[in-house]
Amino acid sequence: MVPSQSTNDTGVPSYAARLNPPQQEAVLTTEGPVLMLAGAGTGKTAALTARLAHLVATRRAYPSQILCVTFTNKAAREMRERVGQHLGPGSEGLRWLGTFHSICAKMLRQHAELVGLQSNYTIIDTDDQLRLLKQLIMDSDLDEKRWPARQLAGLIDRWKNRGLNPDDLDAVENESYANGRGQAMYQLYQDRLKALNACDFGDLMLHMLNILRKHTDVLEDYQRRFRYILVDEYQDTNAVQYLWLRLLAQAHKNICVVGDDDQSIYSWRGAEVANILRFEKDFPGAHVVRLEQNYRSTPHILGAASGLIRANSDRHEKTLWTEANGGDKVKVIGVWDAPEEARRVGEEIERLEGEGANLDQIAILVRAQYQTREFEDRFIQIGVNYRIIGGFRFYERAEIRDALAYLRVIAQPQDDLAFERIYNQPKRGLGAKTLEKMHQHARRTGLPLAAASLELADSDELPKRAANTIGGLMRQFLSWREAAENMTPSDLLRLVLDETGYNDMLANDRSAESAGRAENLSELARAMEEYDTLGDFLEHVSLVMDNDRGEEKETVTIMTIHAAKGLEFDNVFCVGWEEGVFPSQRAIDEGGLASLEEERRLAYVAITRAKRRCTILHAANRRIYGQWTSSIPSRFIEELPEEHIEQETTMTGGKSLWQANWSENDDPFAHVARDRPDRAQARGPGWQRAVATGYETKQQRLREPGRSAASFAAKPRSDIAIGAMVHHDKFGTGCVTDQEGNKLEIEFEEHGTKRVIDSFVKVVG
């Protein structure tokens, strides 16, 4: 039974009575296309659920005639609960409220035979997908080390997100895997899935898009069925989702999309901000409603965020405002280096806690996962409870555990658990049968696993290849133990990662995660520089990993900005706001202006997570890839309106911390040597003077378009010069037109001018 509409004295339905005028407009404008531009913290969920309730309560549609799409199961559950509060039993018929993939899975069960599947098809997960791809790669006589399954999986996922079938790939896409075998491998994979009566998550949408395109009767049935369509977080839709929605909405055109182009930050997983920017062209006459009243943040936080995002050129104009008064300005703090950044944040948190602040309402937002390590170590030292959201704790990540396992075996040959973790990592061709024989021999002889393995390798119990591999590994451990006596722990780790082939494994892994894993290992080596012996460092790690906080305790949240989207906290610390870190130099090198604008949107998201206080920190020095690099503040700090920010007193007479220190005397590092002797000694006098003499010139050059801190630290390849012909796996063949450090400007035959890192190209001709 569909409930009737109830109203208050003003004639506004009860479920819309508490909404502000723009929200009510979005609820009551039921016919035709509607674009609800909902800025951060403006109550979009309340408006969307009230609109859904209104369609049912006014009998414009039965619950089963409404398609309501979200991105997460959590969002779908929340919406269902809220609509239930408005409608009671009338909400039970919302069969088509869910995520894109769950709705398409339901559709596909009814039409599986149209794509060669049975209705009881299996949806495989990532592990199954990788195993299947490895089999196909092996069957195709390809070298899996050179052409990893993860790389192919990433390409296939990208193609499916763009709505591309194997026959749709162009020559460039085909060349992106195994020298022109991308299309063939994609087709083999799809054929094998069909033979297994299975599909992956990307297929759920791609199959349904293909069905709707090729079978007009099915399309027309769904168009008649869905009288109204509602879409949450429209700025995060990818191409296949966009095409699917457009087909379904063509009949009634009663589609309402909710989103904020200023919060589109997921291009790396296929999201296209252009989808929301062109909505009015896709649906002429669309009614646009702007939700601009913010219910989360203070005026200064909103002013800073709004001023920053205005620097983006391609966006819908919005001006966030709030009825709240007062509040602190956004604080911008410059510190000497990353360890001081962690100490300063720790001090601020202790101060807030002393004033009665709830630790659960404090967040630290980083651009990259490797940045969390400094804060984890600092919080352990001062006893602040913390949690990592959207990822593992630093020392719990797989690559870190692998590296620590090597170090544990070096320090303690009897550590069987550590040896078992890395005896075949990276892959050495030592399978489960070899491990079983190693365990059996260890039990028989009472020897540690490593010693038993060496003894077994000297016998005829193992195949010659396995025996040689184990013997070589044990000789490596012996040499590392000898090296550890005369080598710093950090240098020892770098030696191990190089000689084991672990670095090569990550370099050959072209998945999106590999670069982050390499950054984490560089950060681990940097952390080890603070310890005199390997034993001291391993003891420190044990204490960190044993830190038991208990879920019932208040905890500071540490997360990436990407993971923070949709959340809010009273106090937010935005750290690492330096050129090259944020905005990410790698993102800009790969994506140019489009990536820079997405980085700025990411900064906007970071600031708008704060309800009461937002603090931005930047460091004058940071260790990146094991090298100290002098840094300049992020360009995003310059774009913050002065009336909404408060610069801390590290500025002297308008001069920066750097300039103030240099003007004290002829030696610009005397201030550091006096106040921070540990830092000055660690860097050495040569480094000090080199940075001092070159900094002003470097700072001036960095302000030029396209300049970055990283570009002056990297060494260029000697075999590449201007005019050289090179090949890039993604962009194809081109001619080098400019060179700056390890950055190349290349005019590609198919893709025009791109800036790429020289390690990603090879010389041809």
Side-chain angles (χ1 to χ4, degrees):
M1 181 72 180
V2 178
S4 59
Q5 179 182 0
S6 60
T7 61
N8 57 20
D9 293 339
T10 64
V12 177
S14 58
Y15 42 77
R18 295 185 179 181
L19 303 181
N20 62 40
Q23 288 174 320
Q24 291 182 357
E25 180 184 354
V27 170
L28 302 177
T29 306
T30 58
E31 305 309 304
V34 175
L35 172 59
M36 195 190 308
L37 291 172
T42 56
K44 70 176 180 63
T45 303
L48 188 61
T49 53
R51 179 183 175 89
L52 180 54
H54 182 65
L55 294 174
V56 176
T58 56
R59 294 184 172 86
R60 284 176 168 80
Y62 290 103
S64 61
Q65 294 177 315
I66 300 174
L67 172 63
C68 186
V69 192
T70 67
F71 269 87
T72 66
N73 290 316
K74 178 182 177 182
R77 286 193 301 270
E78 180 181 1
M79 190 171 298
R80 191 178 296 275
E81 290 170 0
R82 290 199 186 190
V83 174
Q85 293 172 1
H86 293 315
L87 299 180
S91 65
E92 294 176 358
L94 292 171
R95 296 180 54 238
W96 300 100
L97 191 164
T99 65
F100 279 97
H101 289 95
S102 67
I103 289 173
C104 281
K106 185 184 298 186
M107 290 179 170
L108 190 56
R109 295 287 179 195
Q110 301 177 29
H111 309 287
E113 73 283 354
L114 298 179
V115 288
L117 296 174
Q118 301 173 31
S119 61
N120 62 341
Y121 63 84
T122 300
I123 304 173
I124 65 171
D125 59 20
T126 302
D127 290 340
D128 291 333
Q129 181 188 33
L130 290 176
R131 280 197 295 271
L132 178 55
L133 289 173
K134 287 178 181 179
Q135 293 174 10
L136 295 175
I137 291 169
M138 184 181 300
D139 293 344
S140 301
D141 294 324
L142 293 174
D143 183 358
E144 208 268 332
K145 291 183 178 179
R146 184 180 181 189
W147 305 106
R150 285 189 179 276
Q151 180 194 0
L152 182 55
L155 287 170
I156 290 175
D157 183 60
R158 187 180 74 189
W159 292 331
K160 291 183 178 181
N161 286 340
R162 292 165 58 193
L164 300 177
N165 297 287
D167 292 341
D168 300 323
L169 301 188
D170 59 22
V172 174
E173 296 291 354
N174 188 37
E175 287 288 337
S176 61
Y177 184 79
N179 297 324
R181 300 183 65 176
Q183 184 181 53
M185 296 303 297
Y186 184 11
Q187 187 63 63
L188 280 175
Y189 174 65
Q190 293 300 98
D191 292 342
R192 185 67 63 89
L193 284 176
K194 189 179 297 185
L196 295 171
N197 191 34
C199 62
D200 60 25
F201 281 96
D203 281 324
L204 295 175
M205 293 223 61
L206 183 61
H207 282 330
M208 277 313 305
L209 178 62
N210 289 334
I211 289 171
L212 296 180
R213 280 172 162 173
K214 296 176 181 178
H215 301 274
T216 56
D217 56 330
V218 177
L219 173 61
E220 291 171 355
D221 177 62
Y222 281 114
Q223 287 177 337
R224 285 191 298 270
R225 179 179 309 186
F226 298 137
R227 296 181 58 83
Y228 294 91
I229 298 175
L230 288 75
V231 188
D232 193 16
E233 302 286 10
Y234 191 66
Q235 79 280 348
D236 292 335
T237 54
N238 58 32
V240 71
Q241 292 162 344
Y242 162 80
L243 294 170
W244 178 78
L245 286 167
R246 277 200 65 188
L247 284 173
L248 294 174
Q250 287 308 306
H252 296 291
K253 291 186 171 56
N254 292 330
I255 179 172
C256 173
V257 301
V258 185
D260 180 9
D261 49 296
D262 290 337
Q263 297 185 75
S264 179
I265 58 174
Y266 296 121
S267 66
W268 48 275
R269 67 185 189 196
E272 296 187 7
V273 67
N275 292 347
I276 192 170
L277 294 176
R278 68 183 176 209
F279 182 82
E280 293 169 87
K281 293 182 179 179
D282 290 336
F283 296 94
H287 187 83
V288 180
V289 181
R290 285 176 167 80
L291 304 187
E292 299 173 307
Q293 183 176 357
N294 180 278
Y295 295 94
R296 175 189 299 159
S297 305
T298 65
H300 284 307
I301 291 173
L302 296 180
S306 297
L308 170 67
I309 200 63
R310 286 194 191 101
N312 274 5
S313 58
D314 201 4
R315 60 183 291 266
H316 289 291
E317 183 61 36
K318 294 177 291 295
T319 302
L320 298 183
W321 61 277
T322 178
E323 292 181 345
N325 297 316
D328 297 339
K329 291 185 176 182
V330 173
K331 185 178 291 187
V332 178
I333 301 176
V335 297
W336 176 250
D337 58 12
E340 184 174 337
E341 180 182 58
R343 283 194 297 274
R344 183 59 192 271
V345 170
E347 291 170 359
E348 291 290 318
I349 289 175
E350 288 181 310
R351 181 183 63 79
L352 290 171
E353 191 176 20
E355 295 174 357
N358 187 329
L359 292 184
D360 290 335
Q361 285 297 314
I362 299 176
I364 299 170
L365 305 185
V366 300
R367 176 61 182 87
Q369 284 281 1
Y370 74 87
Q371 294 175 258
T372 68
R373 206 276 310 168
E374 295 277 6
F375 297 98
E376 293 185 64
D377 281 0
R378 183 61 184 167
F379 291 168
I380 292 296
Q381 293 175 15
I382 64 178
V384 171
N385 299 319
Y386 72 92
R387 60 177 177 167
I388 302 291
I389 298 295
F392 294 103
R393 295 169 179 270
F394 183 80
Y395 293 108
E396 293 175 351
R397 292 164 188 156
E399 63 276 9
I400 301 299
R401 284 186 174 271
D402 288 343
L404 293 175
Y406 274 106
L407 297 175
R408 284 166 54 187
V409 176
I410 293 171
Q412 177 54 268
Q414 290 80 22
D415 194 332
D416 287 0
L417 292 176
F419 182 77
E420 184 174 346
R421 180 180 181 91
I422 49 82
Y423 81 100
N424 195 39
Q425 180 69 357
K427 302 297 183 185
R428 300 184 174 91
L430 302 175
K433 291 184 179 180
T434 302
L435 179 61
E436 182 180 353
K437 288 184 178 181
M438 289 158 52
H439 273 296
Q440 290 173 351
H441 190 65
R443 287 193 295 268
R444 283 196 304 266
T445 60
L447 293 171
L449 191 59
S453 303
L454 181 58
E455 190 171 286
L456 194 62
D458 291 334
S459 70
D460 296 327
E461 295 293 328
L462 294 176
K464 185 175 180 180
R465 181 179 177 182
N468 290 338
T469 300
I470 292 174
L473 178 61
M474 300 314 297
R475 286 191 294 274
Q476 281 185 314
F477 272 112
L478 180 61
S479 68
W480 294 330
R481 289 190 188 99
E482 294 174 350
E485 297 177 2
N486 302 303
M487 186 177 286
T488 65
S490 58
D491 286 340
L492 176 64
L493 173 62
R494 295 184 181 102
L495 178 67
V496 170
L497 293 175
D498 185 49
E499 293 188 348
T500 58
Y502 206 100
N503 285 334
D504 290 338
M505 178 187 72
L506 293 181
N508 293 328
D509 181 359
R510 304 181 189 182
S511 66
E513 298 83 11
S514 61
R517 297 177 68 192
E519 289 174 349
N520 290 336
L521 289 172
S522 294
E523 177 63 17
L524 177 64
R526 198 210 66 73
M528 294 177 69
E529 293 177 357
E530 301 175 14
Y531 297 87
D532 295 327
T533 69
L534 179 58
D536 290 343
F537 174 72
L538 292 175
E539 180 179 331
H540 164 74
V541 173
S542 298
L543 293 174
V544 170
M545 297 182 71
D546 190 51
N547 182 50
D548 183 14
R549 294 159 310 283
E551 291 299 321
E552 73 280 358
K553 296 181 180 179
E554 295 178 8
T555 55
V556 173
T557 299
I558 308 174
M559 63 172 66
T560 64
I561 307 172
H562 283 100
K565 186 171 178 293
L567 303 178
E568 58 184 40
F569 301 88
D570 286 343
N571 301 281
V572 171
F573 294 89
C574 304
V575 299
W577 281 44
E578 303 117 36
E579 287 293 306
V581 177
F582 191 39
S584 163
Q585 190 60 42
R586 189 172 70 219
I588 296 175
D589 286 342
E590 294 176 356
L593 179 60
S595 288
L596 174 60
E597 294 213 339
E598 179 157 330
E599 291 286 295
R600 187 175 286 110
R601 292 195 293 269
L602 198 57
Y604 172 84
V605 167
I607 295 173
T608 55
R609 299 311 94 196
K611 295 163 64 176
R612 299 179 60 190
R613 300 181 191 87
C614 179
T615 303
I616 297 171
L617 293 99
H618 60 93
N621 305 279
R622 192 174 294 273
R623 183 72 64 87
I624 300 177
Y625 294 116
Q627 299 294 322
W628 279 105
T629 302
S630 54
S631 305
I632 61 173
S634 168
R635 69 191 76 189
F636 299 152
I637 292 177
E638 294 183 358
E639 294 168 358
L640 298 172
E642 291 185 2
E643 64 269 24
H644 295 297
I645 65 172
E646 174 188 342
Q647 296 272 0
E648 201 186 63
T649 54
T650 52
M651 310 297 287
T652 305
K655 296 181 179 181
S656 69
L657 175 64
W658 285 90
Q659 295 167 328
N661 287 342
W662 294 343
S663 63
E664 290 190 355
N665 48 52
D666 293 337
D667 184 354
F669 281 82
H671 174 87
V672 184
R674 184 185 70 244
D675 296 341
R676 307 293 294 278
D678 57 328
R679 300 273 172 247
Q681 184 176 5
R683 291 166 177 76
W687 181 89
Q688 299 167 13
R689 286 177 171 78
V691 174
T693 55
Y695 182 75
E696 295 245 7
T697 302
K698 175 178 174 181
Q699 187 178 40
Q700 181 179 357
R701 292 185 70 196
L702 284 172
R703 288 307 181 192
E704 299 174 19
R707 297 286 185 175
S708 70
S711 67
F712 293 94
K715 294 182 179 179
R717 277 172 53 176
S718 60
D719 61 332
I720 297 179
I722 294 176
M725 294 299 295
V726 296
H727 180 79
H728 187 281
D729 285 344
K730 180 178 180 181
F731 302 123
T733 302
C735 179
V736 178
T737 58
D738 193 13
Q739 186 175 18
E740 176 190 324
N742 69 334
K743 307 296 188 304
L744 304 175
E745 185 175 283
I746 302 173
E747 181 70 27
F748 289 102
E749 296 172 357
E750 299 287 341
H751 289 271
T753 301
K754 301 286 184 183
R755 284 175 58 82
V756 302
I757 301 174
D758 59 16
S759 61
F760 284 86
V761 302
K762 57 184 178 182
V763 179
V764 298

